[in-house]
Amino acid sequence: MKKSSEQISTVQLMFSVACFIQASTLLTYPIHGFAKQEAWICVLLGCLISLPIIWIYTSLAKRFPGKSLIEINDIVFGSIVGKIFSVLYIYFFLNLVFLSSRDIGNFVGGFLLPTTPLPAVLIMFLLVCCWAVRKGVKTMTSYAKLMVIIAFAVLLFNSLLLLNIMKFSNLLPIFSLPLKNYLEGSHTTAMLPMCELMAFLMLFPNLRNAKGSAKALWGGFAIGAITLFFNVARDTAVLGPYASLLTSPTFLVARLINVGTIFTRMEVLYAVTIIILMFFKTSVLLYAAVFGISQLLKLDSYKFLVPTFGAIAVIFAIAVFDSTMYESYIAMTGTASIYATFFELILPVITLTVAAVRGFSGKKEAVLL
Amino acid sequence: MIILIIIFFILIALADFPALIKYKKWYEFTVLSVFFLCAFVLAILQWRGISIPSPTKGAVFIIQDVLHLKYS
């Protein structure tokens, strides 16, 4: 496949990464479920666990500047084993597209448009995602900065309006739970929102300055992690252990805002923000999957595949779970985190180890660029 | 409903197939046709109420029943 002519800046990529993590504030319920009022500790621990994993991604990017995950697999493992790894990654990205779409479908159907059928919500949502992906990476990521600022502003605004009902004593006591709760909560934090950043390895070939990939990933990770931490801590401060009983604590917290009878029904602000952020996240994942398929099959372009895979995403987003209860069961039994660990940790570790053994240092590859 | 599905897929087909035929990109045409046909068949199955295998259920089976990995 020809090298993409669409180039994005390091700053653009950094804000895209931040946006991607911020979208995960929709799904903080497993963290609250595992750690109750100490969910904020699990977010901190989860971020710490994510650091070495993100280092693996940045190391891969440094060793193979300007290469996508699919190209890296081919270089490191050769064409046959490399293709097997690539198929696994593409399957994972596609699965994340189905799951993200279903999450937004559940959110909209559960809280905003309860009588609207799920397929109608999914079609509208994925139509916009497909449109963005077809327009290309440059267009897709150009609004990331604005989205991050909006998400941050809404978080700050809502938090200020909630100050009157926040009880910081709800964040205490600390370290009162069994060790396994912290391990489960932090593992979930690391694997479900944080390390899904691996999808950005498919965007690195579009980076104008290939050396800026690590900087963008770390910067975006820091912004996203700070947002997630404040979000979880604020929800716990408002709701206390009650947060662990809800499927969307942040939405309920926004619903509680009532200042001077003027600032009420602020949940709509959160709803709009999360839909925008989830649109961005799903677009990045869809791009990663479709671009991966086009590289795997050595196609001229990825763009003509996008609408068809959008349709496939609608179908599987409906089929992926029987109910929201089943989704909660998968999250709370750790199946989702364990499943993600295989793709986000084990496969990249194998790739990095083989690359190191075979002597790919990145210097030679950088010269060839 | 079936008419809506057919219209939807005709629109998708019109978006890309004509350009691929015009520029004689037969390999890309074949690949797209395969995926397009899969998507269409899956949509029809979904409409008929025939359950489509969920990728999640496969993963749950492998992780919980085969590997016995689960949070306690």
Side-chain angles (χ1 to χ4, degrees), chain A residues 134 187 297 320 322 333 335, chain B residues 16 27 54 56-57 64 71:
Chain A
R134 255 178 92 102
H187 181 228
L297 299 175
V320 76
D322 297 331
T333 51
T335 308
Chain B
D16 292 303
Y27 175 57
S54 159
T56 315
K57 282 184 182 163
Q64 289 192 2
Y71 288 167

Side-chain angles (χ1 to χ4, degrees), chain B:
Chain B
M1 186 66 180
I2 184 71
I3 294 168
L4 276 176
I5 293 172
I6 291 169
I7 292 172
F8 186 68
F9 274 90
I10 288 173
L11 288 174
I12 293 177
L14 286 174
D16 292 303
F17 279 112
L20 294 178
I21 294 167
K22 190 180 168 188
Y23 295 106
K24 294 180 180 168
K25 295 193 170 181
W26 302 119
Y27 175 57
E28 279 76 12
F29 179 85
T30 315
V31 171
L32 181 61
S33 302
V34 171
F35 287 126
F36 184 83
L37 206 67
C38 289
F40 186 69
V41 170
L42 287 168
I44 297 293
L45 291 176
Q46 184 81 266
W47 167 68
R48 295 285 297 162
I50 298 164
S51 71
I52 293 167
S54 159
T56 315
K57 282 184 182 163
V60 171
F61 173 75
I62 293 170
I63 292 166
Q64 289 192 2
D65 300 331
V66 178
L67 300 172
H68 300 288
L69 293 170
K70 201 176 171 182
Y71 288 167
S72 54

Side-chain angles (χ1 to χ4, degrees), chain A residues 162-210:
Chain A
L162 282 162
L163 273 175
N164 60 339
I165 53 168
M166 270 190 213
K167 279 186 190 165
F168 290 100
S169 59
N170 280 340
L171 299 169
L172 301 170
I174 57 167
F175 301 120
S176 62
L177 297 166
L179 180 66
K180 80 172 183 62
N181 288 50
Y182 300 105
L183 292 176
E184 289 169 353
S186 45
H187 181 228
T188 302
T189 311
M191 288 302 145
L192 295 188
M194 300 299 185
C195 295
E196 285 175 1
L197 291 185
M198 193 185 67
F200 280 90
L201 284 171
M202 296 301 294
L203 268 78
F204 286 165
N206 297 86
L207 206 57
R208 198 174 296 138
N209 173 16

Side-chain angles (χ1 to χ4, degrees), chain A residues 39-253:
Chain A
W40 60 278
I41 296 177
C42 284
V43 174
L44 288 178
L45 291 173
C47 291
L48 282 177
I49 293 173
S50 307
L51 295 177
I53 304 173
I54 303 229
W55 175 82
I56 293 170
Y57 304 156
T58 55
S59 297
L60 279 174
K62 276 180 189 164
R63 278 169 197 264
F64 303 96
K67 300 284 180 210
S68 75
L69 196 52
I70 308 296
E71 291 168 317
I72 293 172
N73 287 335
D74 276 351
I75 296 168
V76 174
F77 298 107
S79 67
I80 296 168
V81 182
K83 294 258 184 303
I84 296 169
F85 270 67
S86 299
V87 168
L88 288 171
Y89 282 123
I90 291 165
Y91 166 77
F92 180 60
F93 294 144
L94 272 177
N95 223 343
L96 289 179
V97 173
F98 308 151
L99 295 171
S100 307
S101 310
R102 181 56 185 258
D103 288 335
I104 204 69
N106 285 345
F107 175 73
V108 173
F111 296 106
L112 306 173
L113 305 167
T115 53
T116 307
L118 179 65
V121 177
L122 291 174
I123 288 170
M124 294 311 292
F125 177 71
L126 280 158
L127 197 70
V128 186
C129 294
C130 288
W131 196 352
V133 175
R134 255 178 92 102
K135 284 282 175 190
V137 179
K138 199 175 176 182
T139 314
M140 196 172 76
T141 56
S142 57
Y143 294 102
K145 198 174 184 177
L146 181 69
M147 290 179 195
V148 169
I149 293 168
I150 290 173
F152 227 92
V154 169
L155 176 70
L156 201 70
F157 186 60
N158 281 357
S159 303
L160 286 173
L161 295 175
L162 282 162
L163 273 175
N164 60 339
I165 53 168
M166 270 190 213
K167 279 186 190 165
F168 290 100
S169 59
N170 280 340
L171 299 169
L172 301 170
I174 57 167
F175 301 120
S176 62
L177 297 166
L179 180 66
K180 80 172 183 62
N181 288 50
Y182 300 105
L183 292 176
E184 289 169 353
S186 45
H187 181 228
T188 302
T189 311
M191 288 302 145
L192 295 188
M194 300 299 185
C195 295
E196 285 175 1
L197 291 185
M198 193 185 67
F200 280 90
L201 284 171
M202 296 301 294
L203 268 78
F204 286 165
N206 297 86
L207 206 57
R208 198 174 296 138
N209 173 16
K211 287 177 184 170
S213 56
K215 205 189 281 180
L217 212 56
W218 286 119
F221 172 78
I223 298 171
I226 289 167
T227 316
L228 190 68
F229 172 75
F230 276 111
N231 207 82
V232 168
R234 184 202 62 187
D235 294 352
T236 310
V238 174
L239 297 169
Y242 182 58
S244 62
L245 304 173
L246 304 165
T247 49
S248 184
T250 313
F251 186 77
L252 189 92
V253 161

